[in-house]
Amino acid sequence: MTTPVCTSASKAAAPVASYSPYAPYSSFSSYVRARGPVLLRTARSLTANPSDAEDLLQTALTKTYVAWDRIEDHRALDGYVRRALLNTRTSQWRKRKVDEFTCEELPERESLPAADPAEQQVLHDAMWRAVLKLPDRQRAMVVLRYYEDLSEAQTAEVLGVSIGTVKSAVSRALGKLREDPELLPVR
């Protein structure tokens, strides 16, 4: 079954500009492209998590988009968006759920038994004796990497060798330390 279509009425009608409330504002798009990185830095200063900062900025930009027609001075957009960021963050902070319960007695923290200083010293001495058994070059690399906390590149620079040499020598040295019989009880 076919439905009759009146073509004469559609030809006679004057062309009407189609307006959609969801049509993007080109000035808003260009503003976001131009100022987005700066606004994202502002959002990151308000939150600890970069993902939360992106969400916060999206929410603030959504609010700005909705009010785009009402904003009279487009030179003050940064201030408007910053205020939207701050208000949105404050609202999120106020809405967060805090789990606090009252109780008659404060719970005691479970304290871990303190390590015996004598045992720590025995371990330290055993480790140092094992390091002293290493060849001079490997010992130097282990000391620079783990005792002096230098990076592989810094260790290579200090010793005048390549980074690959540092990596392989340290790997061999750690293998020898793992096999040292004095350190077996530690594992």
Side-chain angles (χ1 to χ4, degrees), residues 15-36:
V16 176
S18 65
Y19 171 77
S20 170
Y22 302 108
Y25 297 107
S26 62
S27 58
F28 177 77
S29 298
S30 61
Y31 170 75
V32 171
R33 274 193 301 276
R35 302 298 295 164

Side-chain angles (χ1 to χ4, degrees), residues 104-185:
E104 298 201 13
E105 291 183 32
L106 291 175
E108 294 296 325
R109 290 186 181 163
E110 290 183 29
S111 61
L112 296 174
D116 183 13
E119 288 180 19
Q120 287 181 334
Q121 187 61 44
V122 168
L123 176 62
H124 181 271
D125 291 343
M127 179 58 86
W128 191 246
R129 281 192 305 275
V131 168
L132 288 175
K133 292 179 192 175
L134 294 173
D136 291 341
R137 186 172 170 173
Q138 288 180 358
R139 182 180 338 123
M141 290 183 191
V142 167
V143 167
L144 289 174
R145 282 286 290 132
Y146 298 105
Y147 283 90
E148 296 296 322
D149 201 28
L150 296 181
S151 68
E152 291 169 343
Q154 292 169 328
T155 303
E157 184 179 332
V158 167
L159 296 175
V161 297
S162 71
I163 295 174
T165 302
V166 171
K167 288 180 179 181
S168 63
V170 167
S171 175
R172 284 192 300 274
L174 293 177
K176 288 179 182 179
L177 290 174
R178 282 187 204 100
E179 295 171 358
D180 192 296
E182 284 189 55
L183 299 177
L184 284 178

Side-chain angles (χ1 to χ4, degrees), residues 83-101:
R83 175 50 62 185
L85 283 168
L86 189 59
N87 291 345
T88 303
R89 181 66 184 131
T90 302
S91 295
Q92 290 172 348
W93 176 77
R94 286 181 179 153
K95 289 177 186 176
R96 71 183 164 93
K97 183 179 179 182
V98 178
D99 292 327
E100 291 184 10
F101 304 100

Side-chain angles (χ1 to χ4, degrees), residues 28 31 39 59-88:
F28 177 77
Y31 170 75
L39 297 171
T59 304
L61 288 175
T62 302
K63 291 178 180 182
T64 305
Y65 181 82
V66 170
W68 193 256
D69 286 338
R70 293 178 289 161
I71 300 173
E72 294 175 9
D73 186 8
H74 282 251
R75 293 174 297 183
L77 282 171
D78 281 354
Y80 185 92
V81 175
R82 271 192 237 109
R83 175 50 62 185
L85 283 168
L86 189 59
N87 291 345
T88 303

